[in-house]
């Protein structure tokens, strides 16, 4: 059995983004969580938007929504703690139903998931008979259950084109759908949902950043409005943006996405100058070290899925994962 690294040793990973005084506040929780994981036979899956003390201090697996879904399927411990938002925990539960899936704060939602209900999807199907429904994973299990297939920001174009049809409905992120529509000949019917973090970026922000930071490379998440993506040098999922920075090593970069992404990548790339326009996701930020510790101590909050929707939702997610 491998030794559990103490927080003092883990500090090396984050020393360029967390001050020593801050780390001494985090260290007791980091140590407690890393021991609790062993004791409770648990792993922590953390999204790229989690803060660096979670991402680099206690997470076992990190990634974008697609990677977390794939990894959740392979977990063989008894417990999965999902350091992320509720739809991610639901997806993990759908894909590995025998595991106990915990979310540290049940209120960690998502403005996209809130933007559409299962009834809305049923009405759209009536309105567009025969048109397949591609649903972003940022939705409830009930919405997924009404869909033909899911997608993430990392595979949306491939999923849309895999269906071999001239027209699809893509829910609920209007901007993601519009950004994909620009890259494909498939006609896309959209829904007016938005991510409350990414919708705040504008093309004027990009121009201002370029003027204020000469030579800056601009990366944008496809949940940003299309005019932001059009002005960016590269657009992709959180994992695709992290890979771009690691691969290309730009001297100066700005990520038009949630704040913590830059901190997490900066910790691994101390030579890169990150310009940080800070848009926080209040849902992602509900997850903290003390709440993760409490989740492991109390085995709460357990994520369950209504059996009436679980089968349909699983089918839509598995359909996505089967597309290579
Ligand atoms: P990805 O990590 O899949 O790109 O998703 C971004 C997001 O907003 C998750 O909430
Ligand atoms: Fe939802 Fe946007 Fe927050 Fe992601 S960043 S969880 S899409 S509100």
């Amino acid at each position: 059995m491998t030794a559990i690294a103490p927080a003092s040793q883990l500090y090396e990973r984050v020393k360029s983004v967390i001050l020593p005084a801050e780390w001494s506040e985090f260290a007791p929780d980091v140590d407690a969580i890393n021991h609790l994981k062993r004791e409770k036979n648990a792993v922590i899956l953390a999204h790229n938007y989690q803060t660096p003390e979670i991402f680099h201090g206690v997470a076992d697996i990190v990634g974008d929504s697609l990677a977390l879904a794939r990894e959740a399927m392979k977990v063989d411990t008894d417990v999965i703690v999902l350091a992320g938002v509720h739809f991610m925990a639901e997806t993990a539960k759908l894909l590995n139903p025998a595991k106990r899936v915990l979310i540290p704060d049940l209120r960690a939602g998502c403005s996209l998931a809130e933007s559409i209900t299962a009834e809305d999807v049923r009405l759209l199907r009536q309105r567009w008979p025969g048109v397949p429904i591609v649903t972003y994973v940022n939705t409830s299990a009930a919405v997924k259950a009404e869909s033909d297939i899911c997608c993430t920001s990392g595979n949306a174009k491939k999923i849309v084109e895999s269906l071999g049809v001239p027209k699809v409905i893509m829910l609920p992120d209007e901007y993601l759908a519009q950004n994909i529509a620009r890259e494909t000949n498939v006609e896309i019917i959209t829904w007016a949902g938005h991510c409350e973090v990414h919708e705040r970026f504008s093309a004027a922000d990009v121009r201002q950043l370029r003027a204020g930071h000469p030579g800056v490379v601009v990366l944008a998440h496809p949940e940003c409005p299309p005019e932001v993506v059009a002005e960016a040098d590269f657009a992709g999922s959180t994992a695709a943006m992290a890979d771009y920075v690691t691969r290309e090593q730009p001297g100066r970069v700005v990520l038009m996405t949630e704040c913590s992404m830059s901190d997490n990548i900066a910790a691994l790339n101390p030579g890169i100058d990150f310009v940080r326009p800070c848009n926080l996701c209040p849902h992602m930020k509900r997850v903290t070290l003390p709440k993760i510790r409490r989740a492991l101590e109390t085995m709460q909050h357990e994520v369950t899925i209504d059996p009436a929707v679980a089968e349909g939702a699983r089918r839509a997610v598995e359909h996505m994962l089967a597309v290579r």
Side-chain angles (χ1 to χ4, degrees):
M1 202 176 270
T2 52
I4 298 172
S8 53
Q9 195 178 317
L10 294 171
Y11 184 61
E12 263 310 292
R13 300 182 188 172
V14 290
K15 64 178 189 214
S16 63
V17 293
I18 299 183
L19 295 169
E22 287 178 299
W23 189 253
S24 52
E25 296 276 311
F26 294 139
D29 283 330
V30 168
D31 281 330
I33 291 167
N34 285 330
H35 281 89
L36 278 162
K37 284 192 301 187
R38 179 81 49 98
E39 191 186 310
K40 307 280 178 153
N41 196 23
V43 286
I44 297 180
L45 269 58
H47 185 260
N48 290 328
Y49 292 162
Q50 292 297 294
T51 47
E53 67 278 11
I54 295 174
F55 189 91
H56 292 291
V58 299
D60 299 288
I61 295 161
V62 294
D64 65 359
S65 313
L66 183 58
L68 295 181
R70 287 198 191 285
E71 293 297 327
M73 268 196 324
K74 298 184 213 155
V75 168
D76 58 5
T77 55
D78 297 330
V79 179
I80 298 173
V81 178
L82 204 305
V85 292
H86 195 262
F87 76 81
M88 294 175 178
E90 270 193 343
T91 305
K93 182 70 184 173
L94 284 171
L95 292 170
N96 207 337
K99 305 300 173 189
R100 187 183 275 200
V101 177
L102 306 177
I103 185 153
D105 189 322
L106 271 173
R107 297 166 303 167
C110 171
S111 65
L112 283 166
E114 283 302 310
S115 73
I116 191 157
T117 65
E119 179 58 13
D120 293 328
V121 187
R122 285 192 286 272
L123 290 171
L124 280 165
R125 217 183 257 293
Q126 276 171 25
R127 163 118 203 262
W128 303 97
V131 179
I133 298 180
V134 179
T135 291
Y136 199 27
V137 285
N138 299 38
T139 47
S140 66
V143 164
K144 289 183 177 76
E146 297 294 333
S147 312
D148 295 289
I149 188 165
C150 285
C151 75
T152 73
S153 61
N155 63 14
K157 177 171 182 264
K158 190 163 72 175
I159 297 296
V160 164
E161 294 184 342
S162 74
L163 299 171
V165 293
K167 191 193 290 192
V168 302
I169 300 167
M170 195 168 166
L171 308 170
D173 188 343
E174 185 176 27
Y175 296 149
L176 176 69
Q178 289 171 343
N179 285 320
I180 299 302
R182 287 154 59 127
E183 296 178 12
T184 177
N185 292 326
V186 179
E187 187 189 337
I188 300 184
I189 298 161
T190 63
W191 181 258
H194 299 131
C195 161
E196 66 187 89
V197 176
H198 293 96
E199 71 176 350
R200 302 212 299 270
F201 292 113
S202 69
D205 292 339
V206 179
R207 289 194 285 270
Q208 227 167 34
L209 285 161
R210 287 199 196 277
H213 305 275
V216 71
V217 173
V218 180
L219 312 188
H221 192 276
E223 289 171 8
C224 290
E227 61 270 22
V228 173
V229 170
E231 298 252 350
D233 298 298
F234 174 82
S237 77
T238 55
M241 286 191 281
D243 290 347
Y244 181 101
V245 174
T246 310
R247 189 178 64 242
E248 303 292 332
Q249 291 288 306
R252 182 178 272 181
V253 69
V254 60
L255 274 53
M256 310 301 280
T257 192
E258 214 269 350
C259 281
S260 295
M261 264 289 287
S262 296
D263 294 334
N264 292 330
I265 309 175
L268 303 170
N269 297 275
I272 299 177
D273 175 18
F274 284 81
V275 180
R276 290 181 171 85
C278 201
N279 281 0
L280 281 172
C281 172
H283 311 287
M284 288 281 179
K285 262 55 255 196
R286 284 196 184 276
V287 178
T288 60
L289 283 177
K291 287 188 202 167
I292 293 174
R293 180 174 177 172
R294 194 152 172 72
L296 283 163
E297 283 167 350
T298 62
M299 288 289 113
Q300 292 203 352
H301 305 276
E302 187 161 357
V303 174
T304 54
I305 301 175
D306 180 351
V309 300
E311 198 184 320
R314 186 176 301 115
R315 178 194 33 77
V317 178
E318 286 180 347
H319 190 181
M320 166 184 85
L321 293 176
V323 174
R324 288 284 164 184

